[in-house]
Amino acid sequence: MTKSRLFWPLVVLAILLLINLIYDPSFFVIDIRNGHLTGSLINILNRGAPLILISIGMTLVIATKGIDLGVGSVIAMSGAMAAFIVDGNLGDSERLFPLFLAIALAIGLSAATGLWNGMLISRIGIQPIVATLILMVAGRGVAQLITGGQITTIYYEPYSFIGGGYLFMLPFSIYIVAFVLCVALYVTRRTALGLFIESVGGNPLASRLSGISSKNIVLMVYMFSGLCAGIAGLILSSNVASADGNNAGLWYELDAILAVVIGGTSLMGGRFFLMGTVIGALIIQTLTTTIYSVGINAEVILLVKAVVVLIVCLLQSPEFRKKISGLFSSSRKTPKDEGVNHHESL
Amino acid sequence: MIEKAPILAMDGITKVFPGVKALSNVSFQLFSGEIHALMGENGAGKSTLIKVLTGVYPLDKGTVKLEDVPIVVQSPLHAQELGISTVYQEVNLCPNLSVVENIFIGREIMKNGRIDWKKMNDRAEELLSRLKLDIDVTKELSSYSVAIQQMIAIARSLNVSSKVLILDEPTSSLDVNEVNQLFEVINNLKKAGIAIIFISHFLDQIYEISDRITILRNGEYIGEHKTKDLPRLKLVSLMIGKELEEFDAQSENKDTGSEHGDKKEVFLETEELTKKGSIEPFDLKLHAGEIYGLAGLLGSGRTELARLLFGADKADSGTLKIKGKTTNLNSPKQAILNGVAFCSENRKAEGIIPDISIRENMILAIQGIKGWFNYIPIRKQIEIADKYVSLLNINPPNPEQLMKNLSGGNQQKVLLARWLITNPDLLILDEPTRGIDVGAKAEIQKLMLSLKDNGKSILFVSSELEEVVRCCGKIAVLRDHKKVSEITNDGKIDHQYIMQEIAGGNL
């Protein structure tokens, strides 16, 4: 099952990479410069880190039949919060305490926003799209309040390590993503949490009657999503050494939802595929890189992006694949897909 | 019958799915103006035969003739155009739309590019009057009972050219009165010359309404009989393909330990347990090693009481004691921790998780009380799943199969397994045998008895009174959210007696 779900996204990713290779034969080359590995592939991973992070959080949210539209705003809030803390310590780059305080407060704030969403949804029963829409709007307001409506530039040196630093030749952000992904994979596949999430997404009533605290599961996934967005916010603001309440993380929630869908998780909840999501996020990031490297005109960029996403979604649809294979082979008989559904239903 | 040609003749029907021969050389004949029951156990091929007939699956071999003309049904829509209408087991209507909208959805009557509401309302009333149903068609569907909804589904599937009507388990969620109402409608349609295929697991209903019976077993055609010439026991043995003694012995094996029951330890006790609007003050004593029946009409408070005992709903007042200790059940989880299990009557909405596997559905409840850090190792999960798949004869016998691909009876067995795995002291079974075949029913009853013998208590809720009488040592009869009487089953009472109690003694 997982194999076939990963197949088409991987094909698309490979095609995108090949297109890049045609336009830029040195695309796959990885150099060592100043003791750092550099190259387009590394860049994609590095630049894609924030999107992969929030997509991981979004996957679990969507698996419970929910959605989190607030993550873009949380990115802005987290960045603003960190900037606010380290701002007062400019010139004091010797001390690391402000760095840890900034990280702790930014992530704490993000987790609190997740808690807020989770409470609204699980305890008060507001629909996820409405509840998180509130934060999507209000979060930017909070972020602007923190930054005083300005773009805050961060001069504090140690902060830039999060999004721009290197560890063992690789960008530090890649380690952050790898860590979060491993934690998410471990917690969902090596503990029963994954099963609970899938069962709550598949049938919340039945899950409750089976003794699962559906409400707590829902609360937990929104908190995790907030947490992921908070970390992404740190990486993004650190990378550009500034916090922008207005534009940081703008539209990221939509890209993340897209990444989840491309990865094969259904918006109807239930089964989820974390690795699929990661590939989905990489496709989106590679696409952006490709568009620039191929030199597509700025005014058609969005259109090209939309077309590629459409193609991926079509390829993911068994119905569509059936139609296409029907065009090539004249036999009316449907392919193996049918094998899934016909156990006797007497 | 001999001189008349069948309106529908299926011959040599074969349908193979990867790895399974679902139908092999099955024939089926249907005459107009008859009600023809299609019988068989879960997985015998009834649904597949219907799906082949209605174009859901293409057939691999065989011929279908409608009024002597060979047909190849392309799709369910095509079947309907040919005059073959189907009403499926679950009511496939939209509860939030009006009756008219439900009847005409997708084929609205248009006038000048707009919907002609007046004509549609009139037409809907006309259709329903054919079923002797006089209701306000502009009201929301959900404002009517399930029985009425079922009839609306029939009205929707019928059109002027309907010759064959297929009813797949139409009565599985109806109570006695509603079934009678539905049967009247079916009989009217029969008089109007429509040929009706009737699928049901209720033997009583089959004998009440059908003219002929075709029996399938393991995808094979077993025989066709006139209903009045086929004794019930014979029918059952044809369906399960076993000799009767075995089956009979089982059904005799009722809970006769009731006299000693009072001496046994009380597992659960309620005093004046009340929930406004659903249960009037209720006293109940459940002993270990006892099967306790709840009888009553739908909505009499049976399910409501069961939910209170499981913590699915909260009581307003009254006390509940488990093993003599006053316990507040605030959630199902607490109930499970106290050794209570509850198999809901609403399998689809409150039981199954469709997108995960049989194995995962099975371990859900035990994993729920273990918590998420204490994950049962996959190897152990497979072991448990394999054990219950073979213990309960679950088909397909592959624990990794997704739940949604199972038939209703097999899903029910998986849900039973989910609760058996938690090793409960009290198992509340709310209509566990609804919509499943006799073989599985007997298995479930056998299981209940063996649990009882192991000192477990069982609270058994069922609409089938014979079943209640057969299994239970004590029976509480509920009417209007109240316990009206408690009967000790001394072996002399029968279901008619309980029926009288339900009806209020003046039947």
Side-chain angles (χ1 to χ4, degrees):
Chain A
M1 217 42 181
T2 318
K3 253 186 230 159
S4 69
R5 274 180 200 270
L6 290 184
F7 179 72
W8 288 106
L10 278 173
V11 167
V12 172
L13 186 58
I15 291 173
L16 279 177
L17 291 174
L18 280 178
I19 291 174
N20 276 295
L21 189 65
I22 293 165
Y23 274 87
D24 172 12
S26 68
F27 187 76
F28 281 16
V29 175
I30 293 174
D31 287 331
I32 300 179
R33 223 173 281 164
N34 307 333
H36 302 155
L37 290 174
T38 55
S40 304
L41 293 179
I42 303 287
N43 265 341
I44 288 173
L45 281 177
N46 192 11
R47 291 265 161 77
L51 180 61
I52 297 174
L53 277 174
I54 61 167
S55 303
I56 290 171
M58 188 71 80
T59 308
L60 300 190
V61 168
I62 285 178
T64 63
K65 216 184 274 187
I67 198 135
D68 190 351
L69 295 180
V71 287
S73 296
V74 175
I75 287 178
M77 281 166 77
S78 160
M81 189 67 187
F84 177 74
I85 300 295
V86 296
D87 198 28
N89 294 282
L90 58 147
D92 196 4
S93 295
E94 305 300 310
R95 288 169 54 205
L96 282 180
F97 173 70
L99 175 67
F100 293 119
L101 184 69
I103 292 172
L105 283 180
I107 287 180
L109 178 68
S110 314
T113 64
L115 184 68
W116 165 262
N117 279 335
M119 290 299 256
L120 288 183
I121 293 159
S122 71
R123 295 306 196 277
I124 305 180
I126 298 179
Q127 288 180 346
I129 195 164
V130 178
T132 58
L133 194 60
I134 295 170
L135 192 72
M136 182 180 178
V137 177
R140 294 224 168 259
V142 173
Q144 282 173 45
L145 273 179
I146 297 174
T147 60
Q150 314 275 323
I151 297 178
T152 311
T153 310
I154 301 167
Y155 297 104
Y156 175 67
E157 199 48 48
Y159 188 69
S160 66
F161 182 77
I162 301 170
Y166 279 79
L167 187 68
F168 303 121
M169 299 171 80
L170 279 173
F172 185 61
S173 60
I174 295 179
Y175 291 99
I176 299 177
V177 169
F179 176 72
V180 173
L181 179 65
C182 287
V183 169
L185 280 174
Y186 180 83
V187 168
T188 56
R189 295 301 173 214
R190 293 283 165 225
T191 77
L193 191 63
L195 173 63
F196 290 173
I197 289 173
E198 287 179 345
S199 80
V200 168
N203 189 343
L205 266 181
S207 305
R208 176 170 175 263
L209 289 180
S210 301
I212 292 165
S213 325
S214 304
K215 289 177 174 180
N216 290 344
I217 300 286
V218 170
L219 194 71
M220 216 181 312
V221 294
Y222 283 95
M223 274 188 76
F224 181 68
S225 175
L227 201 71
C228 288
I231 301 172
L234 288 176
I235 296 177
L236 274 172
S237 63
S238 156
N239 211 348
V240 293
S242 67
D244 179 353
N246 256 327
N247 293 312
L250 199 61
W251 308 131
Y252 259 66
E253 58 279 336
L254 301 184
D255 275 350
I257 294 168
L258 218 53
V260 174
V261 173
I262 290 174
T265 303
S266 157
L267 285 177
M268 300 299 293
R271 282 273 186 228
F272 63 90
F273 304 93
L274 281 172
M275 284 318 289
T277 295
V278 172
I279 293 166
L282 284 176
I283 287 177
I284 293 175
Q285 190 58 45
T286 311
L287 187 58
T288 311
T289 310
T290 312
I291 285 169
Y292 289 120
S293 71
V294 171
I296 291 169
N297 286 338
E299 58 267 26
V300 293
I301 284 179
L302 287 175
L303 208 59
V304 172
K305 210 168 162 181
V307 169
V308 175
V309 168
L310 178 68
I311 292 171
V312 181
C313 291
L314 285 176
L315 283 175
Q316 284 280 57
S317 148
E319 289 288 313
F320 180 78
R321 290 209 301 271
K322 217 186 270 181
K323 287 228 164 71
I324 291 294
S325 57
L327 283 181
F328 290 110
S329 64
S330 54
S331 99
R332 268 195 72 242
K333 269 206 173 157
T334 42
K336 286 166 201 134
D337 295 75
E338 237 211 312
V340 184
N341 278 328
H342 24 251
H343 286 278
E344 274 293 326
S345 42
L346 284 190
Chain B
M1 285 290 176
I2 304 156
E3 62 268 64
K4 242 177 26 175
I7 186 160
L8 177 79
M10 300 175 81
D11 213 25
I13 303 294
T14 299
K15 175 75 198 166
V16 182
F17 293 126
V20 197
K21 203 162 196 183
L23 291 174
S24 120
N25 201 17
V26 169
S27 44
F28 181 72
Q29 286 196 331
L30 184 69
F31 295 89
S32 61
E34 77 161 349
I35 298 173
H36 195 138
L38 196 53
M39 299 292 290
E41 289 196 279
N42 296 333
K46 293 173 298 186
S47 281
T48 313
L49 187 68
I50 296 305
K51 284 181 177 160
V52 165
L53 176 59
T54 54
V56 178
Y57 303 143
L59 54 78
D60 295 339
K61 235 189 260 170
T63 55
V64 182
K65 282 185 187 168
L66 187 68
E67 290 180 315
D68 242 6
V69 183
I71 55 169
V72 178
V73 186
Q74 309 280 359
S75 67
L77 193 68
H78 185 212
Q80 195 152 21
E81 284 162 7
L82 289 168
I84 303 171
S85 312
T86 317
V87 177
Y88 291 101
Q89 189 164 358
E90 266 97 29
V91 180
N92 284 318
L93 298 173
C94 310
N96 55 337
L97 298 183
S98 73
V99 174
V100 186
E101 285 166 323
N102 267 297
I103 292 179
F104 286 104
I105 197 163
R107 42 174 187 164
E108 294 84 355
I109 301 171
M110 307 294 273
K111 192 171 145 191
N112 303 332
R114 286 184 301 164
I115 292 178
D116 188 348
W117 284 105
K118 194 173 170 328
K119 199 162 170 198
M120 249 165 57
N121 290 345
D122 292 347
R123 182 90 185 91
E125 275 168 15
E126 192 188 317
L127 274 171
L128 291 172
S129 71
R130 241 172 113 186
L131 307 180
K132 300 270 186 300
L133 205 59
D134 183 23
I135 56 171
D136 183 355
V137 294
T138 58
K139 271 197 174 167
E140 269 187 23
L141 183 80
S142 55
S143 59
Y144 293 106
S145 71
V146 184
I148 304 264
Q149 292 184 20
Q150 191 70 264
M151 290 177 211
I152 291 167
I154 293 177
R156 177 184 149 70
S157 72
L158 286 176
N159 52 37
V160 196
S161 62
S162 280
K163 295 161 201 148
V164 175
L165 175 65
I166 302 164
L167 298 169
D168 189 358
E169 294 277 0
T171 58
S172 60
S173 43
L174 306 185
D175 69 24
V176 185
N177 286 326
E178 292 172 327
V179 168
N180 289 335
Q181 231 176 322
L182 183 73
F183 279 4
E184 216 180 295
V185 167
I186 297 176
N187 273 320
N188 283 332
L189 291 172
K190 172 185 159 183
K191 279 180 205 142
I194 291 179
I196 295 163
I197 301 175
F198 187 82
I199 300 177
S200 172
H201 285 112
F202 296 97
L203 291 184
D204 282 349
Q205 296 178 0
I206 297 292
Y207 276 91
E208 189 181 335
I209 197 149
S210 73
D211 301 308
R212 278 190 310 146
I213 299 175
T214 290
I215 301 148
L216 301 179
R217 187 171 70 227
N218 294 334
E220 282 174 34
Y221 172 82
I222 299 299
E224 187 198 87
H225 300 268
K226 280 199 173 146
T227 308
K228 61 177 193 298
D229 299 338
L230 182 69
R232 283 181 193 217
L233 285 175
K234 179 81 183 147
L235 169 64
V236 172
S237 72
L238 285 174
M239 281 167 65
I240 61 180
K242 275 183 208 152
E243 281 312 311
L244 291 169
E245 293 77 39
E246 205 182 321
F247 190 68
D248 246 8
Q250 232 168 59
S251 50
E252 282 309 308
N253 194 0
K254 71 171 77 169
D255 178 14
T256 47
S258 46
E259 309 88 67
H260 323 290
D262 285 339
K263 287 177 201 140
K264 282 185 187 155
E265 180 195 351
V266 177
F267 174 72
L268 182 145
E269 186 178 0
T270 71
E271 268 167 42
E272 306 271 304
L273 197 68
T274 314
K275 181 172 168 63
K276 235 180 140 197
S278 61
I279 277 290
E280 309 270 309
F282 203 102
D283 294 345
L284 178 76
K285 250 187 205 168
L286 280 174
H287 296 87
E290 173 179 54
I291 302 180
Y292 191 103
L294 289 184
L297 297 174
L298 272 178
S300 61
R302 302 176 318 197
T303 300
E304 289 81 351
L305 179 65
R307 288 178 64 92
L308 286 186
L309 300 183
F310 186 61
D313 295 321
K314 254 188 244 174
D316 298 329
S317 60
T319 54
L320 186 148
K321 287 182 192 165
I322 292 178
K323 289 184 179 162
K325 237 174 67 188
T326 307
T327 314
N328 266 327
L329 293 180
N330 291 318
S331 69
K333 189 169 182 174
Q334 269 179 334
I336 298 168
L337 287 170
N338 276 299
V340 183
F342 170 60
C343 214
S344 164
E345 63 169 340
N346 201 338
R347 198 156 56 210
K348 198 169 160 189
E350 297 180 346
I352 64 163
I353 317 281
D355 284 322
I356 62 178
S357 66
I358 294 177
R359 165 176 59 83
E360 289 170 308
N361 266 286
M362 277 185 180
I363 63 147
L364 204 56
I366 185 88
Q367 187 67 67
I369 49 178
K370 276 180 180 277
W372 54 278
F373 260 119
N374 210 344
Y375 195 37
I376 303 165
I378 295 284
R379 196 181 310 160
K380 179 91 179 128
Q381 288 184 26
I382 294 170
E383 209 173 280
I384 296 173
D386 279 338
K387 180 177 151 201
Y388 281 92
V389 161
S390 65
L391 185 75
L392 300 175
N393 273 326
I394 290 168
N395 190 30
N398 169 15
E400 298 311 311
Q401 186 61 254
L402 295 186
M403 193 69 164
K404 62 182 173 193
N405 295 337
L406 266 63
S407 69
N410 282 304
Q411 287 180 345
Q412 181 72 329
K413 290 183 192 169
V414 174
L415 295 181
L416 271 175
R418 180 190 287 171
W419 293 115
L420 292 178
I421 291 168
T422 66
N423 191 20
D425 294 315
L426 166 62
L427 180 59
I428 305 173
L429 296 171
D430 195 355
E431 298 277 8
T433 58
R434 172 184 289 171
I436 65 174
D437 65 68
V438 274
K441 251 179 214 177
E443 276 169 41
I444 287 175
Q445 287 169 13
K446 210 164 80 185
L447 197 74
M448 283 168 51
L449 290 168
S450 81
L451 286 171
K452 181 200 77 127
D453 292 340
N454 286 325
K456 313 285 186 192
S457 8
I458 290 169
L459 187 70
F460 181 57
V461 182
S462 175
S463 296
E464 287 185 68
L465 298 177
E466 291 93 333
E467 205 174 59
V468 174
V469 171
R470 195 182 310 135
C471 302
C472 302
K474 248 193 212 144
I475 299 160
V477 177
L478 282 86
R479 192 194 317 139
D480 300 334
H481 310 249
K482 267 197 296 251
K483 178 159 83 176
V484 290
S485 67
E486 191 174 76
I487 306 159
T488 303
N489 190 354
D490 49 9
K492 286 177 209 134
I493 61 159
D494 61 6
H495 65 277
Q496 245 131 17
Y497 175 68
I498 294 178
M499 190 92 85
Q500 276 171 18
E501 289 291 326
I502 289 174
N506 39 16
L507 196 84

